[in-house]
Amino acid sequence: MRHATGTADVRTLLTDVPAGQRTAVVDTRFVGHRHALRLGLTDPRFPAGTVPGAVAVQGGARQELLRALAAEEETRPAGPASAGTVATALTDRLTAALEAGGTPVHRPELGTLVAAVPEDPQARNEARQAVAAVDEEDVRLRSAVKSRDGFFTTFCISPYSRYLARWCARRGLTPNQVTTASLLTALIAAGCAATGTRVGYIAAGVLLLCSFVLDCTDGQLARYALKYSTLGAWLDATFDRAKEYAYYAGLALGAAAGSGAGAGDDVWALALGAMVLQTCRHVVDFSFNEANHDATANTSPTAALSDRLDSVGWTVWLRRMIVLPIGERWALIAVLTAATTPRITLVVLLIGCAFAACYTTAGRVLRSLTRRARRTDRAAGALADLADRGILAAAFSAAAQRLAPRFPSFAPPAIALLGGAAVVAVSAFTPFGDTWPVVAACVYCAAAGLATARPLKGALDWLVPPFFRAAEYGTVLVLAARAEVNGALPAAFGLVAAVAYHHYDTVYRIRGNAGAPPYWLVRSIGGHEGRTLLVTVLAAVLTATGFTAALTVLAVLVALVVLAESVRFWISSAAPAVHDEGEPA
């Protein structure tokens, strides 16, 4: 901390600070809580931040601040007589200059925290009394908890996990370390479930809940200590899915290797079905949110009804529980694992998730049909990126450019649904090794191109990416099941997991305004329609055993390519530090 006597001195001191360090200008008359300054000045997610009496910048915003100070020297007289007046309003003028120069300035919600620049002794005394009247640590602990969480998380986890987050902060632990501990705990839980013993199942359920406690703690630690990072964003975005899907695999292994009732039970199809359903639910969430992220006139009677229901407290929690968010879902999985069999656990999970998917999707369809929103080019581009279109679909799209404008508004999702349903149904109801699934996959490639031949700005066009996900994953599932050989469904599980990681990675890049993965990556792994066609061809030309081996090789290749590019991106300086502030489904 250094003290400046005037604007010129401030600029000189800022120039001397090494590049790359966050710098702040704070009025010497500032009165307020330290955590108010932390929120405004130290949050690494924003290039600039401010609270009354203080402003901070990092990165390229430093030069904009120096230019603002230079302009301040030219327009404001220097000297002792004016120093007090200049200092009082300097931070406000610098903030305005930053915004005028195009630098977004973050203004955190302070709530009951105090941040003020008193103009006289009486105001200073009142500000100090206001500071003393607020328990700063209590506010900091409460603000560490997400403002919108599920019932189980809010009432069963957060009341004590926030204190665990503080304990970690005081011992120098980072959110990334806690996130890694959560992953390791979940993997150990999956290993316990894979033993197939009752003791192993009970241990798995307990450890899964412990993993979820740590999962809540890492985000609360990041908010408590304001330790957001690019690597943390990547870990937070991907590890939840990796933990849950690894646990599904553990249940399937345990069912096959177990003893007693249910021993030798093959539930890989259920485990893969649960992963497919859960991933498609997430794609529905992401697609709907991206489609309406910046839409204009974004209102509907359905949304108004939802807002009215929010005024009745118990309906809020009921609707949050119905969608089976991660807290409720993991609690359900943990209890059923400890008390029942893997088959019962997965069947109940599938029923619950299917009901939740129908509930949320129906509500969003109603909102989309009743609102008169005009979607932007950005939203259409995001949906196109989520579609994961490869070379084949792009070729069909180019061929249909003249025909596409004549399609009715509902055509894109209808074409995607019919094409996807055709390839899944034909694969399910024809013998393994038949060529009809290949024909259906070719039709699906054409449908994928037609569905994306024009910008996805229709009321229901956000359904196109989920339909594509369901078609690709569903085709892999049914063909592996039709192979009826050991190892086919586990290999299909690995392939779907690798592709799903690519789709989640795409989502979090888009949400961070960093764009989709490079097109060479999409081309190299075939696009959704190319992979679907390839899997049907492999099933037609190979034996069931050869098909299993081919799926395994394809899963490894896709995983290596996708992970290599993902790691490169997320450790690069251009990657955004994006953290979920709402509990995902």
Side-chain angles (χ1 to χ4, degrees):
M1 180 183 295
R2 303 179 185 179
H3 293 275
T5 58
T7 306
D9 198 14
V10 172
R11 190 158 70 96
T12 300
L13 292 175
L14 285 176
T15 304
D16 293 339
V17 176
Q21 290 189 11
R22 194 175 185 92
T23 54
V25 177
V26 182
D27 197 307
T28 56
R29 299 178 181 182
F30 174 86
V31 175
H33 292 100
R34 289 186 177 183
H35 193 54
L37 286 177
R38 289 192 194 98
L39 291 173
L41 308 185
T42 66
D43 195 325
R45 296 173 297 175
F46 306 102
T50 185
V51 293
V55 60
V57 295
Q58 66 176 353
R62 169 91 71 88
Q63 293 302 317
E64 190 64 39
L65 180 62
L66 290 173
R67 283 193 290 269
L69 284 167
E72 190 70 25
E73 286 186 68
E74 296 176 1
T75 57
R76 299 276 173 173
S82 61
T85 304
V86 172
T88 300
L90 176 61
T91 54
D92 292 339
R93 294 198 299 275
L94 292 177
T95 299
L98 286 171
E99 292 179 320
T103 300
V105 180
H106 173 59
R107 290 178 171 81
E109 291 289 337
L110 298 181
T112 57
L113 295 176
V114 177
V117 181
E119 297 181 358
D120 53 63
Q122 180 179 351
R124 176 175 293 274
N125 184 55
E126 292 173 352
R128 287 174 174 171
Q129 291 177 356
V131 170
V134 175
D135 186 342
E136 181 178 11
E137 183 60 21
D138 180 67
V139 172
R140 192 177 178 187
L141 280 171
R142 285 189 284 108
S143 63
V145 178
K146 289 179 182 177
S147 59
R148 184 179 178 85
D149 256 336
F151 181 88
F152 179 77
T153 305
T154 299
F155 295 103
C156 299
I157 303 297
S158 292
Y160 57 88
S161 62
R162 70 182 84 179
Y163 295 101
L164 178 59
R166 181 173 66 181
W167 182 89
C168 292
R170 290 179 175 177
R171 283 153 183 80
L173 297 177
T174 66
N176 294 349
Q177 291 171 331
V178 178
T179 301
T180 304
S182 175
L183 174 66
L184 293 175
T185 304
L187 293 179
I188 295 172
C192 291
T195 63
T197 63
R198 179 53 52 194
V199 173
Y201 289 149
I202 294 173
V206 172
L207 287 172
L208 186 64
L209 289 177
C210 292
S211 174
F212 183 64
V213 171
L214 293 173
D215 182 56
C216 294
T217 301
D218 64 357
Q220 292 168 358
L221 174 59
R223 286 182 287 274
Y224 180 85
L226 293 177
K227 290 184 176 179
Y228 301 100
S229 68
T230 296
L231 179 60
W234 176 54
L235 298 178
D236 183 64
T238 57
F239 277 13
D240 279 354
R241 306 288 80 79
K243 290 181 285 188
E244 186 167 358
Y245 298 160
Y247 194 85
Y248 294 168
L251 287 174
L253 291 170
S259 58
D265 192 9
D266 186 357
V267 298
W268 275 105
L270 294 175
L272 179 52
M275 180 167 66
V276 169
L277 178 57
Q278 192 57 37
T279 304
C280 289
R281 283 186 65 197
H282 285 138
V283 177
V284 168
D285 293 341
F286 297 140
S287 294
F288 179 80
N289 291 334
E290 286 301 324
N292 296 282
H293 175 71
D294 50 5
T296 58
N298 206 1
T299 59
S300 73
T302 309
L305 174 61
S306 178
D307 292 338
R308 287 196 296 271
L309 288 175
D310 284 344
S311 63
V312 183
W314 65 270
T315 66
V316 175
W317 296 115
L318 178 62
R319 287 184 294 140
R320 291 187 189 179
M321 293 172 68
I322 286 176
V323 301
L324 208 63
I326 187 171
E328 278 77 357
R329 190 170 66 252
W330 282 28
L332 176 67
I333 295 171
V335 171
L336 290 176
T337 300
T340 65
T341 64
R343 177 172 290 274
I344 293 175
T345 301
L346 291 170
V347 168
V348 172
L349 178 65
L350 281 167
I351 294 172
C353 287
F355 176 80
C358 291
Y359 171 79
T360 55
T361 304
R364 286 167 178 169
V365 168
L366 285 174
R367 287 192 181 197
S368 299
L369 292 175
T370 55
R371 68 175 30 146
R372 297 181 178 180
R374 293 186 298 276
R375 294 191 170 86
T376 63
D377 291 337
R378 178 199 175 280
L383 291 179
D385 291 335
L386 289 173
D388 191 33
R389 184 179 66 177
I391 297 175
L392 297 176
F396 280 107
S397 292
Q401 286 299 310
R402 294 184 178 180
L403 183 63
R406 303 176 185 177
F407 291 164
S409 61
F410 60 84
I415 293 172
L417 174 61
L418 293 174
V423 68
V424 174
V426 171
S427 299
F429 294 109
T430 56
F432 181 82
D434 203 297
T435 57
W436 279 111
V438 178
V439 176
C442 292
V443 173
Y444 175 65
C445 291
L450 292 175
T452 55
R454 70 183 187 195
L456 298 175
K457 293 186 177 182
L460 296 178
D461 284 1
W462 56 269
L463 286 169
V464 170
F467 286 155
F468 287 161
R469 298 295 84 77
E472 179 184 0
Y473 300 162
T475 301
V476 175
L477 191 160
V478 297
L479 287 175
R482 297 289 287 175
E484 297 181 348
V485 294
N486 291 332
L489 282 167
F493 190 97
L495 176 58
V496 172
V499 175
Y501 176 86
H502 165 61
H503 292 142
Y504 281 115
D505 186 55
T506 300
V507 164
Y508 281 96
R509 294 191 196 208
I510 293 173
R511 290 178 60 177
N513 293 319
Y519 193 52
W520 70 260
L521 175 65
V522 178
R523 286 186 172 185
S524 65
I525 59 176
H528 69 94
E529 81 288 351
R531 289 187 298 270
T532 303
L533 178 60
L534 176 60
V535 170
T536 59
V537 170
L538 292 174
V541 301
L542 298 175
T543 64
T545 302
F547 178 66
T548 300
L551 285 184
T552 303
V553 172
L554 184 59
V556 172
L557 291 177
V558 171
L560 288 176
V561 173
V562 169
L563 281 173
E565 163 56 22
S566 178
V567 171
R568 182 209 63 78
F569 171 78
W570 287 103
I571 64 174
S572 68
S573 59
V578 179
H579 294 258
D580 267 327
E581 293 303 322
E583 186 168 84

